[in-house]
Amino acid sequence: MTNNVRVRYAPSPTGNLHIGNARTALFNYLFARNAGGKFIIRVEDTDAKRNVEGGEQSQLNYLKWLGIEWDEGSDVGGNYGPYRQMERLELYKKYVYELLEKGLAYKCYMTEEELDAEREDQRARGEVPKYSGAHSNLSEKQINQFETEGRQPSIRIRVPEGKTYKFNDLVRGDISFESSDFGDWVIVKKNGTPTYNFAVAVDDHLMDITHVLRGEEHISNTPKQMMVYDALGWEPPTFGHMTLILNENRKKLSKRDEHILQFIEQYNKLGYLPEALFNFITLLGWSPVGEEEIFTKDQLIEQFDSDRLSTSPAIFDPAKLKWMNNQYVKALNLDSVVDLALPHLVEAGRLSENMAENDQSWARELISLYHEQLDYGAQIVELTELFFKQEIQYDESAMDVLKGEQVPEVLDTFKKKLAELDDFSPANVKAQIKATQKETGHKGKKLFMPIRVATTGQTHGPELPDAIHLLGAETVTIRLNDVLNQLQN
């Protein structure tokens, strides 16, 4: 095994890139870059029934979108290929043959029905089901008989008796398993396809993988992979198993848990920034030195240390992700924010895809009003709703404002002041608000709140002169008249 750090992320092309898988890829990437090593993408596509058309490309696309690059893989090549398992079948056959020749593996002809019956008998006796080894020492006569019957064999590895498998996990420290916990397990299925644990062990060895960083659900796979290493006389890599990601209720993220978006594609479509997600996901199970939480990719590469991988489950907090993304949005220039938000207004039917120049300027001003508070691109649709409504439904807090005895006077005076304007600019609107104050004697909330509620339908929002300017004279006049009519009836 090479002394240079080589790590891999090995997705199955069974769907879109999940938050948990993205974290695995990201931690491996940061580990490799921090150590000056290599990061490899290897596609584990042997489970043909679960593979999805376009699944591999989708995962690779969203890894790139996040800002993760790799040194070797099916799309960039490398000296250790092929990088798809189904293209490596001939490689696996060599090592299967070696294990069979040494008597460290054997053919098992048991049918699924026989295996099911065996497991049921074990459960009935209160035992943990595992393969009994019934076909571990078949005679030539028995083998010939099974093959005459047309049975297709699987191939099982012989699990040594009385052996303890120990490894020092990068995250959890010393972990051990007893070989007695395992029955002889299948390394090649009846259809000739290698099983996960066998193929992974062979691939990691042949690709000189030095460290395997993955989720804790793989801990139970580790002893099986160590058995393959032992049987073939290889040195295993260093293993590290990251803790689970939990929701706010401290339950494991489930794909049925719909209140948390769990696929990177969903965040992309909502207008989250890849830099923010990169930052946020890195902090799911890893902690930097100090209290700072906002980092560039280069800073995270420099700081990443496997000793700071958490031994406690990571909590996925959607509110924190929104806050973090907002920090990144606020740091963008206005052109970038417009590029982020405008497509969502078009998609919602609020704006035309082919706008005239003055409409483009209006849209740019509108988006700029919400630059500071925008958490993600698609949120602009909700935030700007008041600018596209024909009628306003006033909620309870808005109606409370409009019940003030000074409200009719303030609104009527303000309407007349606006009618005097030729230029409906924010500065001129602001001047007319001050003129209304001077004429009526009302100021502070008694002045501003009725004007805000009547024109926008909200009790809080962007700078009032800016909002009134963008609503336009016609819309504002209609809204003021509607409120005054309601107050008089």
Side-chain angles (χ1 to χ4, degrees):
M1 183 179 293
T2 178
N3 292 322
N4 297 321
V5 166
R6 287 177 57 83
V7 298
R8 47 73 169 178
Y9 168 62
S12 298
T14 55
N16 295 324
L17 183 61
H18 187 266
I19 285 285
N21 293 334
R23 182 184 69 164
T24 298
L26 203 157
F27 281 7
N28 277 282
Y29 169 77
L30 291 172
F31 185 86
R33 292 293 178 262
N34 176 270
K38 300 293 185 183
F39 174 57
I40 295 99
I41 297 285
R42 184 179 71 226
V43 179
E44 297 181 347
D45 57 352
T46 56
D47 192 349
K49 291 181 181 178
R50 296 182 61 231
N51 292 346
V52 174
E53 186 176 353
E56 175 185 337
Q57 194 58 50
S58 173
Q59 295 221 20
L60 297 183
N61 287 345
Y62 283 104
L63 288 173
K64 291 175 184 175
W65 179 78
L66 277 173
I68 297 174
E69 316 99 23
W70 44 96
D71 304 292
E72 301 171 27
S74 58
D75 59 337
V76 297
N79 296 327
Y80 293 79
Y83 292 93
R84 295 186 185 96
Q85 286 186 331
M86 287 303 288
E87 297 172 4
R88 298 173 62 83
L89 295 181
E90 289 302 316
L91 290 170
Y92 306 131
K93 287 180 182 178
K94 171 186 174 182
Y95 297 102
V96 172
Y97 179 78
E98 180 178 333
L99 293 176
L100 287 170
E101 283 292 294
K102 292 179 177 178
L104 299 175
Y106 59 90
K107 295 180 179 179
C108 171
Y109 292 86
M110 289 185 74
T111 64
E112 288 304 315
E113 292 76 16
E114 289 170 339
L115 290 167
D116 287 340
E118 182 179 87
R119 286 190 285 266
E120 285 303 313
D121 287 344
Q122 290 169 336
R123 290 191 186 97
R125 295 194 299 270
E127 300 171 2
V128 176
K130 65 180 181 181
Y131 178 64
S132 65
H135 283 198
S136 60
N137 291 291
L138 294 175
S139 66
E140 285 295 324
K141 182 179 180 181
Q142 289 172 310
I143 291 173
N144 291 335
Q145 177 61 37
F146 287 136
E147 293 192 346
T148 300
E149 293 173 13
R151 293 197 188 195
Q152 292 295 318
S154 61
I155 299 175
R156 294 179 181 270
I157 193 169
R158 293 188 190 275
V159 175
E161 295 182 6
K163 180 158 185 174
T164 301
Y165 289 92
K166 297 180 181 178
F167 62 98
N168 185 261
D169 192 281
L170 282 173
V171 181
R172 299 161 184 279
D174 292 333
I175 297 177
S176 64
F177 291 86
E178 299 302 323
S179 63
S180 57
D181 295 336
F182 302 86
D184 295 346
W185 51 277
V186 174
I187 60 173
V188 181
K189 301 173 190 175
K190 293 180 186 294
N191 65 4
T193 305
T195 59
Y196 169 79
N197 282 307
F198 180 71
V200 163
V202 172
D203 288 340
D204 285 344
H205 172 73
L206 295 182
M207 292 184 177
D208 282 338
I209 299 302
T210 60
H211 298 77
V212 173
L213 301 177
R214 55 192 180 187
E216 72 171 27
E217 66 273 15
H218 287 286
I219 290 177
S220 60
N221 289 325
T222 307
K224 288 186 175 182
Q225 291 163 23
M226 292 177 75
M227 292 174 196
V228 176
Y229 273 85
D230 278 1
L232 292 168
W234 298 337
E235 179 188 348
T238 299
F239 295 98
H241 293 90
M242 298 166 286
T243 57
L244 293 173
I245 301 175
L246 308 180
N247 64 21
E248 309 101 302
N249 300 318
R250 303 193 71 81
K251 293 184 178 178
K252 183 180 178 181
L253 280 188
S254 163
K255 291 176 183 177
R256 295 184 296 275
D257 190 2
E258 294 181 356
H259 86 288
I260 291 181
L261 301 178
Q262 297 186 39
F263 295 96
I264 301 301
E265 179 181 11
Q266 293 171 304
Y267 290 100
N268 175 31
K269 288 182 176 177
L270 281 172
Y272 279 78
L273 296 172
E275 299 86 355
L277 274 168
F278 189 106
N279 191 157
F280 177 78
I281 295 171
T282 301
L283 301 182
L284 291 175
W286 177 83
S287 58
V289 176
E291 301 299 320
E292 184 62 50
E293 293 187 292
I294 305 296
F295 299 95
T296 65
K297 180 166 76 170
D298 287 344
Q299 288 172 329
L300 290 169
I301 288 171
E302 183 180 353
Q303 291 196 35
F304 193 81
D305 181 353
S306 60
D307 288 344
R308 299 191 66 81
L309 287 169
S310 176
T311 56
S312 302
I315 306 299
F316 189 102
D317 183 352
K320 182 173 181 179
L321 174 54
K322 283 184 182 179
W323 168 83
M324 185 171 285
N325 201 68
N326 173 258
Q327 303 305 301
Y328 280 84
V329 172
K330 285 195 289 192
L332 294 176
N333 60 42
L334 181 56
D335 286 340
S336 297
V337 177
V338 171
D339 290 343
L340 182 71
L342 186 58
H344 298 282
L345 289 170
V346 172
E347 185 180 354
R350 299 282 173 82
L351 296 172
S352 169
E353 192 167 359
N354 301 304
M355 288 183 283
E357 190 172 336
N358 61 325
D359 291 331
Q360 291 178 24
S361 297
W362 183 87
R364 181 182 174 85
E365 281 190 72
L366 177 66
I367 292 168
S368 73
L369 282 187
Y370 296 95
H371 185 168
E372 290 292 307
Q373 70 184 96
L374 193 65
D375 292 330
Y376 54 93
Q379 193 184 34
I380 197 68
V381 176
E382 175 190 347
L383 291 174
T384 60
E385 188 176 9
L386 72 95
F387 293 93
F388 302 96
K389 280 183 173 180
Q390 294 301 313
E391 295 183 5
I392 296 176
Q393 300 295 323
Y394 298 100
D395 62 20
E396 187 176 343
S397 61
M399 289 305 298
D400 287 342
V401 170
L402 296 178
K403 288 175 183 177
E405 61 180 1
Q406 87 290 2
V407 170
E409 181 186 9
V410 168
L411 296 184
D412 187 57
T413 303
F414 182 58
K415 184 184 75 167
K416 291 174 181 175
K417 296 295 180 186
L418 290 181
E420 299 172 4
L421 292 179
D422 293 325
D423 179 8
F424 213 64
S425 69
N428 286 341
V429 170
K430 185 175 182 179
Q432 297 305 67
I433 294 174
K434 286 185 176 180
T436 301
Q437 174 186 330
K438 186 174 181 180
E439 184 169 319
T440 64
H442 299 298
K443 58 185 179 180
K445 286 188 176 181
K446 287 191 173 185
L447 174 71
F448 290 102
M449 287 299 282
I451 294 175
R452 180 179 289 282
V453 168
T455 57
T456 70
Q458 300 176 345
T459 54
H460 55 83
E463 287 292 326
L464 187 54
D466 292 323
I468 290 173
H469 156 68
L470 286 172
L471 283 165
E474 182 180 353
T475 297
V476 168
T477 301
I478 290 171
R479 289 182 178 181
L480 287 171
N481 282 330
D482 285 346
V483 173
L484 285 167
N485 289 334
Q486 289 179 42
L487 293 177
Q488 289 169 2
N489 294 332

